[in-house]
Amino acid sequence: MITRLSKISMLMAIALFASLVAFGNITDFNTNFAFVYHVFSMDTIFPDASIKYRSIETPWMHTAGYVAIIAAETLTALLCWIGGFILLKNIKASASVFNKKKNVAILGLTLGFLVWQVGFMSVGGEWFGMWMSKQWNGVPDAFRFFVTIILVLLYLTRRDEELDCQQGK
């Protein structure tokens, strides 16, 4: 039982994290929008970088990109919360049932991994050269986030065994 509670708690910790990130981006839209603007515009990367042709200067695309990020963070939070409550509801179920009920949680954690690894590390960090910016470099934070998420995902997906009380012990 303690392992199941541990998995659910860690999943809900990720749900809380994604909720706070999404909430912050929604309630402090302009501050965090500046981050997306500068990353897309590539106006703070090395002056002689030859990748500046990749920049996006179109304001509506900055807004669309930021809204897509917020939507993905929000969906990550919702899926993790829902997955956590599904698992909590089935905490005393057989191992077979409990393992089958992990799908929503796995989906939420996978989406969270993709948001921070693909969205921030790959697209922001590599495509837009965010790593070159002293002021708008989100690569270290994104790395911390997606590594934490992947570790929880790996832990959660470990097959659960039958509870001792179900084995007649």
Side-chain angles (χ1 to χ4, degrees):
M1 180 72 73
I2 194 73
T3 301
R4 290 183 183 188
L5 281 171
S6 172
K7 289 178 178 184
I8 295 166
S9 297
M10 289 184 185
L11 172 64
M12 289 188 165
I14 298 297
L16 176 62
F17 169 75
S19 298
L20 293 173
V21 170
F23 180 77
N25 284 337
I26 293 166
T27 60
D28 194 11
F29 191 91
N30 291 331
T31 298
N32 296 304
F33 178 76
F35 178 87
V36 174
Y37 167 82
H38 288 290
V39 171
F40 279 26
S41 299
M42 300 174 74
D43 58 353
T44 61
I45 67 170
F46 300 158
D48 57 346
S50 62
I51 64 168
K52 286 190 177 185
Y53 69 91
R54 299 175 185 171
S55 69
I56 297 175
E57 301 292 335
T58 311
W60 73 265
M61 291 186 79
H62 299 158
T63 303
Y66 188 40
V67 169
I69 290 167
I70 294 170
E73 293 165 346
T74 302
L75 186 55
T76 296
L78 287 172
L79 289 169
C80 288
W81 283 121
I82 292 167
F85 286 115
I86 289 171
L87 292 178
L88 199 56
K89 181 180 174 190
N90 289 280
I91 197 163
K92 293 182 180 179
S94 69
S96 175
V97 169
F98 190 78
N99 287 319
K100 287 177 184 173
K101 296 294 183 177
K102 293 178 182 180
N103 288 338
V104 175
I106 292 169
L107 185 59
L109 291 170
T110 301
L111 179 59
F113 173 83
L114 294 172
V115 167
W116 281 284
Q117 199 289 323
V118 174
F120 287 89
M121 287 287 291
S122 299
V123 176
E126 291 304 316
W127 182 256
F128 290 112
M130 181 171 61
W131 65 270
M132 291 185 245
S133 175
K134 289 184 188 211
Q135 185 177 2
W136 302 104
N137 181 7
V139 170
D141 294 326
F143 179 78
R144 275 196 330 267
F145 300 160
F146 83 74
V147 167
T148 302
I149 291 169
I150 196 74
L151 290 172
V152 173
L153 179 60
L154 290 171
Y155 180 48
L156 177 75
T157 56
R158 285 186 51 223
R159 308 273 318 150
D160 282 83
E161 298 175 0
E162 293 299 335
L163 297 174
D164 287 343
C165 61
Q166 292 176 335
Q167 296 174 351
K169 293 183 182 181

